[in-house]
């Protein structure tokens, strides 16, 4: 049998270093699946329950492995289902290749079944490169360009393959005019700013007396360099959520997360600094950064398009974070003053406050306590994932990251439904490391429950079976409920916010996983111990109180006014809202944990 286009695709991707592919089959892409079967495991195919989840997995695999993520789907609905997960990759700057099938070439334009203009569909999310193959000799350079552009630009690319083309005999491009002869290979360049720019940046930073650092995902490979620069400048450092693993929260000058999900020390750091050094971050909320004119700014980023986007910087340094900081460090003067002492005191006080808030009374379990009790028990090499929603508040604030840990979530897109597929991808990237995912019951019902079936299918092939999904079960779309109250001044809209109860721990048992249930705070610590010690995957369901408010680090008058307005209008959970808010506020001023 001659080599088909599908066979060539698989072998070419293998030559590029691809070893994992996430997706779901269909007749529009069967030619490639036949080739994967004939390749006898050269590329492992991981079957998700839904194409959107496969795209999330590809994005998370890129995040946790540092390699190209690849997802595959059939034509029509299979391809359209990928889009949300692909946007997750695009907005978080991850290299992902989407391979999608298409109807036979002769049928295109004929309003054929499952015929969708896929190039048009994908042209925004895969705008750097999306092409449909027409002849076998074209496939080589389409693959090579799609992979190279995804890696070089840290973005999404897409390759569309009509189903009849997949089965055709592969042909190398002829040595003739009008053909393309591409090759394999990409090595990332060393990108460092000019010396003059480094010296100018050093002058700005050296002149500052109260330096604040903000790190994002672009600094994940520069932990040592960030710490060295922070020590040299006697600076405090805040972390955007995607940069949570850049710096250990055990460092006393690390103020934690920033923004609505952030900490009071991060708010104070930005409001009181006179110099801002931003490293690899696209943190979107400018109101949490210094006021314009308050601080001089230096930004380091690999992408010029992200420069001076959130704050008007005095100097922009285009370069790799680790290499740029290494070049900058010898130019910086050692500082020593009261600024860092002030920052460290604020951080110490904040951790004590979080302890009190986590142990404040709730009905039945305080959601902060779930993350607080987990934090001290986390294995040193854990990989954490989190969903969007109120659980992200507690992940951002109450989880202490330590050196060697990894963690991520859907950042720029902030999509619900990413926690479990992210956790699965983390296991395929690092099968010997424990994984813990935090997810709300809304996201579980949306799509994450189905992906527990994927866990059940594959976990016995992992070198380490430790895998815990913790479900915050409160029967409320909680983050949006609080946004309705605090941002809009409206009472909770029951029709949109209440969700039915599902026994998630029993569903886990039904499909062969371990299920644990907690509805009393005194049982939580033991449950975490049991879950983290289990040699097989666990779903830990905790009945949490939906009326514990995810208080922002700085309450504005407008937010207080809106919450009051929501109560005056008659919030259906008015008594619980008042109780939960009072307990959280009083925990900040009363001694003890009760």
């Amino acid at each position: 049998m001659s080599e088909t286009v599908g066979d060539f695709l698989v072998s070419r991707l293998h030559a590029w270093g691809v070893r994992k592919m996430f997706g779901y089959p269909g007749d529009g892409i069967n030619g490639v699946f036949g080739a994967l079967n004939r390749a006898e495991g050269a590329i492992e195919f991981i079957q998700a329950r839904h194409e959107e989840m496969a795209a999330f997995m590809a994005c998370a695999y890129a995040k946790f492995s540092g390699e190209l993520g690849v997802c595959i789907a059939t034509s029509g609905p299979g391809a359209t289902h990928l889009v949300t997960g692909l946007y997750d990759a695009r907005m978080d700057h991850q290299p992902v290749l989407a391979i999608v099938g298409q109807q036979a070439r002769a049928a295109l334009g004929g309003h054929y079944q499952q015929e969708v203009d896929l190039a048009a569909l994908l042209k925004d999310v895969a705008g750097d490169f999306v092409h449909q193959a027409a002849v076998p000799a074209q496939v080589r350079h389409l693959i090579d360009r799609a992979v190279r552009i995804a890696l070089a630009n840290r973005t999404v690319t897409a390759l569309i393959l009509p189903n009849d083309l997949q089965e055709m005999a592969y042909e190398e491009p002829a040595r003739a005019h009008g053909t393309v002869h591409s090759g394999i290979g990409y090595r990332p360049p060393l990108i460092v700013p000019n010396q003059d720019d480094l010296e100018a940046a050093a002058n700005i930073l050296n002149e500052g007396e109260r330096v604040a650092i903000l790190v994002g995902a672009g600094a994940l490979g520069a932990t040592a360099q960030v710490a060295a620069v922070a020590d040299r400048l006697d600076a405090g450092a805040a972390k955007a959520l995607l940069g949570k693993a850049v710096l250990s929260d055990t460092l006393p000058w690390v103020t934690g997360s920033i923004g609505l999900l952030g900490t009071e020390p991060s708010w104070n750091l930005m409001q009181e600094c006179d110099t801002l050094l931003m490293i690899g971050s696209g943190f979107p909320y400018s109101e949490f950064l210094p006021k314009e004119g308050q601080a001089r700014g230096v930004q380091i980023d690999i992408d010029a398009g992200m420069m001076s986007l959130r704050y008007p910087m005095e100097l922009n340094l285009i370069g790799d974070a680790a290499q740029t900081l290494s070049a900058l460090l010898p130019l910086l003067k050692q500082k020593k003053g009261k600024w860092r002492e002030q920052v460290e005191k604020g951080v110490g006080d904040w951790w004590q406050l979080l302890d009190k808030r986590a142990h404040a009374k709730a009905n039945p379990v305080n959601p902060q306590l779930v993350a607080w009790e987990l934090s001290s028990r986390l294995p040193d090499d854990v990989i954490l994932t989190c969903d969007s929603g109120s659980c992200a508040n507690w992940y951002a604030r109450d989880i202490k990251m330590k050196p060697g840990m990894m963690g991520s979530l859907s950042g720029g897109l902030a999509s619900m439904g990413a926690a479990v597929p992210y956790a699965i991808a983390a296991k395929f990237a690092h099968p010997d490391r424990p994984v813990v995912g935090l997810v709300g019951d809304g996201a579980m019902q949306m799509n994450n429950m189905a992906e527990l079936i994927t866990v059940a299918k594959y976990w016995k092939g992992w070198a380490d079976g430790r895998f815990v999904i913790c479900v915050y079960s409160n029967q409320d779309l909680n983050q949006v409920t609080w946004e309705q109250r605090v941002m809009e001044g409206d009472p909770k809209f029951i029709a949109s916010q209440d969700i039915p109860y599902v026994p998630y721990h029993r569903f886990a048992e039904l499909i062969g996983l371990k299920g644990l249930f907690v509805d009393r705070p005194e049982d939580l610590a033991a449950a975490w111990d049991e879950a983290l010690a289990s040699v097989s995957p666990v779903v830990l369901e905790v009945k949490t109180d939906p009326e514990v408010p995810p208080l922002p680090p700085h309450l504005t008058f407008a937010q207080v006014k809106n919450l009051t307005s929501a109560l005056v209008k008659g919030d259906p959970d008015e008594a619980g809202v008042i109780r939960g808010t009072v307990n959280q506020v009083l925990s900040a001023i009363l001694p003890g944990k009760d």
Side-chain angles (χ1 to χ4, degrees), residues 7 19 35 41 45 95 102 115 185-186 210 276 279 292 347 352 408 410 433 440 478 486 588:
D7 293 322
R19 297 295 181 270
F45 174 71
Q102 179 57 290
E115 181 189 350
Y186 173 75
R210 301 184 305 278
L276 173 62
I279 308 167
E292 284 197 42
V347 171
Q352 292 179 22
S408 196
S410 175
R433 296 179 64 164
N478 197 235
V486 177

Side-chain angles (χ1 to χ4, degrees), residues 262-265 345-354 357 397:
T263 71
E264 185 178 336
K345 183 182 185 305
V347 171
D349 292 345
W350 174 254
W351 284 116
Q352 292 179 22
L353 174 58
L354 284 185
R357 284 184 176 178
R397 296 177 188 166

Side-chain angles (χ1 to χ4, degrees), residues 201-215 226-238 247 253-255 265-266 268-279 290 294-300 313 325 328 332-344:
N203 288 336
I204 295 171
L205 297 171
N206 286 332
E207 291 173 7
E209 296 181 357
R210 301 184 305 278
V211 180
I213 295 174
L214 174 60
V215 296
V226 172
V229 167
D231 284 336
R232 184 69 57 86
L233 296 172
D234 213 32
L247 293 168
W253 45 269
V254 173
T255 62
S266 291
N268 292 336
L269 182 75
M270 294 296 155
Q271 297 309 303
E272 298 171 12
C273 71
D274 64 9
T275 309
L276 173 62
L277 173 59
M278 187 183 296
I279 308 167
Q294 168 194 323
R296 304 176 72 184
V298 175
Q299 183 173 355
I300 299 171
M313 297 293 174
L325 291 171
L328 186 61
L332 300 176
K333 297 176 182 178
Q334 181 64 56
K335 296 180 187 292
K336 190 63 180 177
K338 296 189 178 297
W339 169 241
R340 182 176 269 195
E341 294 177 7
Q342 176 183 331
V343 171
E344 291 181 354

Side-chain angles (χ1 to χ4, degrees), residues 313-500:
M313 297 293 174
E314 188 170 335
L315 190 65
N316 299 296
L317 299 176
I318 300 175
D320 171 80
Q323 297 296 331
T324 301
L325 291 171
S326 294
L328 186 61
L329 183 62
L331 305 175
L332 300 176
K333 297 176 182 178
Q334 181 64 56
K335 296 180 187 292
K336 190 63 180 177
K338 296 189 178 297
W339 169 241
R340 182 176 269 195
E341 294 177 7
Q342 176 183 331
V343 171
E344 291 181 354
K345 183 182 185 305
V347 171
D349 292 345
W350 174 254
W351 284 116
Q352 292 179 22
L353 174 58
L354 284 185
D355 188 2
K356 292 180 180 180
R357 284 184 176 178
H359 289 88
K361 291 181 180 179
N363 181 29
V365 179
N366 188 327
Q368 294 165 108
L369 188 63
V370 179
W372 186 264
E373 291 288 358
L374 167 64
S375 184
S376 62
R377 293 170 166 81
L378 286 171
D380 290 341
D381 60 344
V382 73
I383 303 176
L384 292 156
T385 71
C386 183
D387 221 287
S388 294
S390 60
C391 61
N393 291 276
W394 322 131
Y395 166 77
R397 296 177 188 166
D398 292 277
I399 296 292
K400 283 189 175 182
M401 299 296 284
K402 297 176 183 176
M405 294 181 179
M406 302 175 76
S408 196
L409 74 175
S410 175
L413 190 63
S415 174
M416 289 176 65
V420 175
Y422 263 47
I424 293 168
K427 264 299 186 182
F428 279 101
H430 301 281
D432 57 340
R433 296 179 64 164
V435 173
V436 176
L438 305 178
V439 58
D441 49 2
M444 284 298 289
Q445 293 182 21
M446 181 179 284
N447 47 32
N448 277 330
M449 281 184 71
E451 288 311 314
L452 293 177
I453 300 171
T454 305
V455 176
K457 176 175 181 174
Y458 289 106
W459 78 266
K460 292 181 180 178
W462 298 334
D464 185 324
R466 289 177 295 172
F467 182 97
V468 183
I469 298 298
C470 177
V471 183
Y472 287 73
S473 180
N474 56 28
Q475 294 178 254
D476 180 49
L477 298 176
N478 197 235
Q479 186 77 7
V480 176
T481 294
W482 280 100
E483 288 169 348
Q484 288 178 351
R485 293 165 175 155
V486 177
M487 310 299 262
E488 305 299 330
D490 291 330
K492 174 181 173 179
F493 182 37
I494 292 178
S496 71
Q497 299 311 109
D498 278 359
I499 60 175

